[in-house]
Amino acid sequence: GEWSFGDDLIDRAREAFCFSPDADDSSNFRSTLTEAMRIVHSHILDSLHSGEELMTHLYALKQFMLLGQGDFFSALMEGLSSELGDKVGVAGIYKHTVTSIVESALRSTNANDFPQHVLERLTTDLLLGAQDYEYAFGSTIGSKHEKDTRRIWELFAINYSVPEQLKFIVDESAKDDYAQIFRSLFSLKTIEH
């Protein structure tokens, strides 16, 4: 839509730029300010679309965090299942192994068509807490604990980090929302697998 300015803003800007309060000057000032705003707005959008590749990064968020890249997730599920599907608990599940499985799925699917700088923003994570030290290393520090029965499907996560210049569009809150949606969709995908 078209942007408009309130009279208070116009008056303050007129004073700052030394425009007289005449009716002719007010009309000139309003049109000058509107045109300047249009130019700045257009420049920002052009910069985001071309220089920062806004649409490429938003598409990557959709494809990876919302499971839109079907062939990649099929290959990923197969890789995780064959390598780590029979493991129970965090013992024997390592981040470098999971990262290797993700990289293999990227190379073997259409996800490989993304530019390299986009693929480098995709990272893997293991959702571990403080108690996982005891599980991983068999320690009996502290009180008794139950056996860790989690599987890779409950520990695995993917993250996509947008460039710094786009973090005002995809801020930390949005990133957390994407992570939560990924966990929900990934859980549903494991049922299918």
Side-chain angles (χ1 to χ4, degrees), residues 53 56-57 60 64 114-122 160-161:
E53 299 183 68
T56 302
H57 291 290
F64 295 115
F114 276 96
Q116 187 60 34
H117 70 277
V118 169
L119 295 177
E120 289 170 355
R121 296 187 165 282
L122 190 65
Y160 186 83
S161 173

Side-chain angles (χ1 to χ4, degrees), residues 66-140:
L66 303 180
L67 308 190
Q69 192 70 38
D71 61 336
F72 165 73
F73 281 100
S74 292
L76 175 64
M77 297 300 281
E78 188 61 38
L80 289 172
S81 180
S82 67
E83 289 288 323
L84 303 170
D86 60 343
K87 298 219 184 277
V88 177
V90 297
I93 298 177
Y94 303 103
K95 186 172 179 175
H96 67 273
T97 304
V98 173
T99 300
S100 175
I101 294 168
V102 169
E103 289 171 353
S104 176
L106 286 171
R107 283 191 306 273
S108 66
T109 62
N110 289 334
N112 198 36
D113 293 340
F114 276 96
Q116 187 60 34
H117 70 277
V118 169
L119 295 177
E120 289 170 355
R121 296 187 165 282
L122 190 65
T123 59
T124 59
D125 203 3
L126 291 176
L127 304 174
L128 303 176
Q131 81 282 2
D132 291 317
Y133 177 82
E134 292 181 29
Y135 288 140
F137 299 105
S139 173
T140 57

Side-chain angles (χ1 to χ4, degrees), residues 4-22:
S4 62
F5 299 101
D7 289 336
D8 182 49
L9 178 63
I10 296 294
D11 290 340
R12 286 186 290 151
R14 186 183 305 117
E15 288 174 15
F17 293 110
C18 301
F19 275 86
S20 68
D22 294 348

